[in-house]
Amino acid sequence: MTSSPTAPSVNVALAILHQENQFLMQLRDDIPSIVFPGQWGFFGGHIEPGESAEEGVFRELMEEIGYRPEQLTLFGEQTEARVRRYCFYGELSVPLEALQLNEGQDLGLCSVAEVSAGEKYSDRLGEVRSLGKPHQQILLKFLESGLL
């Protein structure tokens, strides 16, 4: 069986990690060949063959920031063009200083005001960068859900 042109060909698992009404975000590298280069997004990534979305999000968090939350809950799925995003949420229970940034240019907590504005300041770069549109939309839906 072949997939239709609009069927998702990539499955990713993303983590909405929150702490004190703010969200942990990653400033992606400025590499033109990656998705959302130089923009703020969630930690997470591709789900490996044979891996569940939940296994994928925990693995990606360990690889990218050396952190494993006690619990993550599925917030929902978003299918767009050729990507299906599984979005999990949970509490970030350690200070930012306890995280190891192994992928991306910066990390930081994003306020509700920054989510609404669609941009966040990077301390490491000393400049404002945009939030990736899907990431901003997911956070706005999360805020509307009342789960925070």
Side-chain angles (χ1 to χ4, degrees):
M1 174 183 269
T2 59
S3 63
S4 68
T6 58
S9 59
V10 176
N11 292 307
V12 296
L14 305 172
I16 302 170
L17 296 175
H18 58 86
Q19 184 177 80
E20 298 178 6
N21 296 320
Q22 297 182 86
F23 303 97
L24 181 66
M25 303 294 281
Q26 171 201 48
L27 182 56
R28 296 178 56 81
D29 289 313
D30 284 319
I31 301 171
S33 61
I34 66 171
V35 179
F36 307 110
Q39 296 181 30
W40 290 98
F42 299 119
F43 285 97
H46 290 85
I47 300 169
E48 300 291 335
E51 186 176 58
S52 71
E54 185 175 30
E55 291 167 337
V57 74
F58 280 113
R59 177 185 49 75
E60 286 285 344
L61 289 172
M62 284 303 297
E63 289 175 6
E64 294 178 351
I65 54 175
Y67 175 67
R68 182 176 172 86
E70 290 181 29
Q71 179 181 346
L72 289 175
T73 303
L74 183 64
F75 172 60
E77 296 176 29
Q78 180 193 58
T79 302
E80 177 184 292
R82 302 188 56 84
V83 178
R84 177 174 291 131
R85 296 177 183 92
Y86 296 87
C87 303
F88 294 85
Y89 70 97
E91 183 181 354
L92 176 63
S93 60
V94 299
L96 286 182
E97 299 77 32
L99 304 176
Q100 304 166 318
L101 183 62
N102 300 321
E103 185 175 308
Q105 301 181 78
D106 200 356
L107 61 76
L109 292 172
C110 190
S111 70
V112 173
E114 290 169 322
V115 171
S116 296
E119 57 186 25
K120 174 175 175 35
Y121 182 79
S122 167
D123 290 328
R124 288 189 182 178
L125 298 185
E127 62 188 44
V128 173
R129 293 288 184 100
S130 297
L131 272 65
K133 273 291 180 209
H135 306 271
Q136 180 191 25
Q137 292 169 350
I138 291 166
L139 280 175
L140 290 171
K141 286 180 185 175
F142 185 77
L143 288 166
E144 289 174 8
S145 75
L147 292 169
L148 184 61

